[in-house]
Amino acid sequence: MIDTGLIDTGMIDTGMVAAVGLLLGAGLLLAVSPFLWPRIAVQAGTRQRRTNILRIQLAQAGLSSVNPSAFLAVCALVGIVAAALAQALIGVAALAVAAAVVGACLPWLLVRWRRIVRRRESRTVWPDVVDHLVSAVRSGLALPDSVSALAHVGPAATRASFAEFERDYRATGNFSNCVNRLKDALADPVADRILETLRMAREVGGSELTTVLRGLAANLREETAIRAEVEARQSWVVNAARLGVAAPWIVLVLLASRPEAALAYNTPTGTAVIVCGLALSIVAYQLMIALGRLPEEKRWFR
C-alpha cells in the first residue's frame, strides 16, 4: 500500500518551492530591469534634450536653419584643421591638442557671441514692437492682423519672423499654431510674454489689453536701461579677465616657435605643463564667465 498522504505532502512541498523560486526570480528580474532595458530610452531622451537645447541656442543666434548635427560636424572639422595647422607650424603635439580643443570650441563661442548681440539688440526692439501693437489694436485691427502688420511697420530686426507669421496665418487661419511657430522663430523670453498675452486676449477676451501692453513696454524700457548700465560697468572687468586667460598662451606660442623650446615642450614634462595649463585656462574662463554673467530671463512659455 502506498501512503497517499506522503505523496500529497511531497507534491505540495515541491510546488511551494517552485512558486517561491519563480517569485524570487521575478523579483530579481524586476530589481535589475531599470539597469538593463530602460537605459536605452533614458539615453535617447537625454540625447534628444541636448539636441533640443542646441537647436534653441542656434535659433537664438539667428541660425535656426542650421542642423545641430551639421553644427557639431563643423566644430569637429574646425578642431581638426586647427590641430593640423598647429602641428605643421609649431611642431608641438601638446599644443596641437590644445589647438584642437580651442578650434572645436570656437564655433560655440561664435554662437554664444551672436546670441548675446541679438539678445542685447532685441531688448531695445521689443518696446517698439509693443508700441506698434498698441497702435494697431487701438485703431480697431484684429489681433492676427495687428501681429501681421509688424511685418511691414515693425522694427527691421523682427520683420522677417512676423512676415513668416503672416504667411502661416493666411495659409492656415489658426492663430494659436502660428503663434507657437513664431515663438520658436524668435526664441526670446520677452517675445514669449508678448505673444502669450495676445493669445490670452484672443481666447478669453478683455478690454485691458492696451493697458497691459503699455505697462509691459514701460517695464521693458526700464529694465533695458538698468541692464545697459550694469553691463557697461562690468565690461572692463570681463575684458581684463579674457586678456589674462589669453596672454599666457600667446607667450607660449612665441616660445614654442624656437626649436629648442619645441623640443622641451615635446617631452612628457612639457606635455604635462601644457595639459595642466589648458585645464586651468578652461576652468578660469568658465569661472570668469559665470561670475560676470547677468541673470537672463528664462523662456517659461515655450
Side-chain angles (χ1 to χ4, degrees):
M1 297 282 303
I2 299 175
D3 192 351
T4 56
L6 294 176
I7 295 177
D8 294 341
T9 302
M11 293 177 62
I12 292 174
D13 293 341
T14 303
M16 290 182 62
V17 171
V20 171
L22 289 175
L23 290 175
L24 180 61
L28 292 175
L29 182 62
L30 292 175
V32 300
S33 60
F35 302 98
L36 297 177
W37 297 290
R39 176 163 295 189
I40 298 176
V42 171
Q43 291 177 350
T46 303
R47 190 180 302 110
Q48 183 65 29
R49 285 193 297 272
R50 292 175 179 174
T51 302
N52 291 336
I53 292 173
L54 179 56
R55 184 176 290 110
I56 292 172
Q57 292 178 348
L58 291 173
Q60 291 175 345
L63 304 173
S64 56
S65 60
V66 178
N67 190 298
S69 300
F71 176 75
L72 294 177
V74 170
C75 292
L77 180 61
V78 173
I80 293 173
V81 172
L85 289 176
Q87 183 65 28
L89 296 176
I90 302 175
V92 178
L95 281 179
V97 174
V101 174
V102 174
C105 294
L106 185 60
W108 292 90
L109 296 177
L110 292 176
V111 168
R112 181 181 179 276
W113 175 75
R114 284 180 59 91
R115 287 175 58 202
I116 293 174
V117 172
R118 283 173 59 86
R119 182 65 60 85
R120 187 180 295 117
E121 292 176 350
S122 67
R123 291 193 187 99
T124 61
V125 164
W126 292 121
D128 296 334
V129 171
V130 175
D131 290 340
H132 286 297
L133 284 173
V134 170
S135 300
V137 171
R138 291 188 63 184
S139 65
L141 288 178
L143 285 180
D145 296 331
S146 300
V147 178
S148 299
L150 294 173
H152 309 285
V153 300
T158 60
R159 287 187 180 182
S161 299
F162 286 106
E164 185 66 26
F165 169 86
E166 184 181 16
R167 289 190 293 269
D168 288 344
Y169 186 75
R170 286 181 178 177
T172 63
N174 192 321
F175 183 75
S176 181
N177 290 340
C178 293
V179 165
N180 290 333
R181 285 191 287 270
L182 180 59
K183 286 164 57 179
D184 292 337
L186 294 172
D188 189 274
V190 178
D192 293 345
R193 290 161 57 187
I194 297 172
L195 295 175
E196 287 299 329
T197 301
L198 298 178
R199 190 207 301 268
M200 183 177 297
R202 179 175 173 81
E203 292 179 354
V204 303
S207 59
E208 300 296 328
L209 178 60
T210 56
T211 304
V212 172
L213 290 178
R214 284 199 195 96
L216 179 59
N219 291 333
L220 291 176
R221 286 190 172 92
E222 182 179 359
E223 180 183 354
T224 301
I226 295 174
R227 183 176 288 272
E229 182 179 357
V230 174
E231 288 179 348
R233 293 182 178 182
Q234 286 187 341
S235 60
W236 68 273
V237 178
V238 175
N239 292 331
R242 290 174 178 171
L243 180 60
V245 172
W249 291 97
I250 296 175
V251 174
L252 179 61
V253 170
L254 294 176
L255 290 176
S257 61
R258 299 175 61 88
E260 58 274 15
L263 292 175
Y265 283 121
N266 274 322
T267 61
T269 303
T271 301
V273 169
I274 294 176
V275 171
C276 291
L278 178 62
L280 291 175
S281 297
I282 293 175
V283 172
Y285 182 78
Q286 293 297 327
L287 182 61
M288 177 265 301
I289 293 297
L291 292 177
R293 181 186 295 117
L294 294 176
E296 294 286 346
E297 184 179 1
K298 296 182 179 180
R299 296 188 63 195
W300 300 108
F301 302 102
R302 291 183 183 178

